[in-house]
Amino acid sequence: MDLKELLKHFNNGDTIGEDFEVIQQMRILGIEARKITMEINTKYHEPEEIRQLFSQLIGEPVDETFAMFPPFYTDFGKNIHVGKHVFINADCKFQDQGGIWIDDGALIGHGVVLATLNHDLDPEKRQQLHPAPIRIGKRVWVGANATITAGVTIGDNAVIAAGAVVNKDVPADTIVGGVPAKFIKRIDE
């Protein structure tokens, strides 16, 4: 199974755990992701080197306006997609098998977790995983230590308060916060 087939499997939302070939390929790519993130995280790199390593990690070039402060962690890497002027602050953890799309101008705060996999609720099938994408719109600000769960879309210009746990879609031009995240107010432009 090649990467294109594997990503199609994930992006279709197919259950993971029933097909050994999918699990095996996911593990191989996970090892590659750990090697690259170890390189990112264990010594100083100039911004251009960070962009090169991150591009290698995700398998596609990032724009010259992309910036990231290590450390950064992911267990897959190949289903992360970032736009222009994206900034990812230190200590973020992206579980990206289900797909993570971060649009232009988005700011990702310290310690943010983006988790695109859920385990099955049936105890007999608990090892199975269900991928679903996270989509972060233009100019979104995700505050420090927020967690965004599988299947969530965050609309343009939204703000996710620090420490929030977002398990539902967030409309554009709004601020949400809390556990679970709730509407706080609209953003007046």
Side-chain angles (χ1 to χ4, degrees), residues 54 57-58 60 72 74 77-82 94 96 100:
F54 197 81
L57 176 67
I58 68 173
E60 58 188 46
F72 175 81
T74 184
K78 298 300 186 212
N79 211 359
I80 299 170
H81 314 275
V82 296
F94 289 11
D96 64 292
I100 295 171

Side-chain angles (χ1 to χ4, degrees), residues 7-14 16 79-81 94-102 113-118 129-137 147-155 166-170:
L7 289 174
K8 183 178 178 187
H9 188 82
F10 291 150
N11 294 335
N12 285 340
D14 297 341
I16 302 167
N79 211 359
I80 299 170
H81 314 275
F94 289 11
Q95 180 192 55
D96 64 292
Q97 287 88 341
I100 295 171
W101 283 264
I102 303 173
V113 173
L114 304 180
T116 66
L117 293 175
N118 281 316
L129 300 168
H130 304 285
I134 292 173
R135 298 182 188 279
I136 298 174
T147 297
I148 301 171
T149 62
V152 169
T153 296
I154 300 175
V166 183
N167 61 0
K168 292 186 173 123
D169 290 353
V170 175

Side-chain angles (χ1 to χ4, degrees), residues 2-188:
D2 68 12
L3 177 59
K4 186 175 179 180
E5 290 175 283
L6 184 63
L7 289 174
K8 183 178 178 187
H9 188 82
F10 291 150
N11 294 335
N12 285 340
D14 297 341
T15 298
I16 302 167
E18 297 173 340
D19 184 337
F20 180 75
E21 190 177 4
V22 170
I23 295 295
Q24 187 63 20
Q25 187 65 15
M26 193 168 80
R27 287 178 180 158
I28 290 167
L29 291 167
I31 291 167
E32 180 183 327
R34 285 191 300 281
K35 287 178 182 177
I36 297 168
T37 55
M38 186 66 96
E39 173 66 24
I40 290 170
N41 296 337
T42 58
K43 65 181 183 179
Y44 176 78
H45 296 282
E46 293 294 329
E48 176 57 30
E49 293 173 301
I50 292 290
R51 285 190 292 276
Q52 289 172 355
L53 286 164
F54 197 81
S55 294
Q56 182 183 351
L57 176 67
I58 68 173
E60 58 188 46
V62 294
D63 190 75
E64 65 184 19
T65 60
F66 171 82
M68 181 178 72
F69 290 170
F72 175 81
Y73 304 94
T74 184
D75 56 358
F76 184 66
K78 298 300 186 212
N79 211 359
I80 299 170
H81 314 275
V82 296
K84 296 177 181 178
H85 300 281
V86 168
F87 174 67
I88 300 172
N89 217 324
D91 203 29
C92 289
K93 298 164 185 76
F94 289 11
Q95 180 192 55
D96 64 292
Q97 287 88 341
I100 295 171
W101 283 264
I102 303 173
D103 213 333
D104 298 345
L107 305 172
I108 310 297
H110 287 89
V112 167
V113 173
L114 304 180
T116 66
L117 293 175
N118 281 316
H119 288 273
D120 202 282
L121 292 177
D122 180 346
E124 298 300 317
K125 298 179 182 178
R126 192 63 43 91
Q127 295 300 317
Q128 293 181 0
L129 300 168
H130 304 285
I134 292 173
R135 298 182 188 279
I136 298 174
K138 290 180 170 69
R139 298 171 304 278
V140 168
W141 173 20
V142 180
N145 295 308
T147 297
I148 301 171
T149 62
V152 169
T153 296
I154 300 175
D156 294 346
N157 307 313
V159 175
I160 309 303
V165 175
V166 183
N167 61 0
K168 292 186 173 123
D169 290 353
V170 175
D173 302 304
T174 61
I175 300 172
V176 300
V179 179
K182 296 193 182 332
F183 173 82
I184 295 173
K185 69 177 189 174
R186 289 204 44 84
I187 297 172
D188 296 324

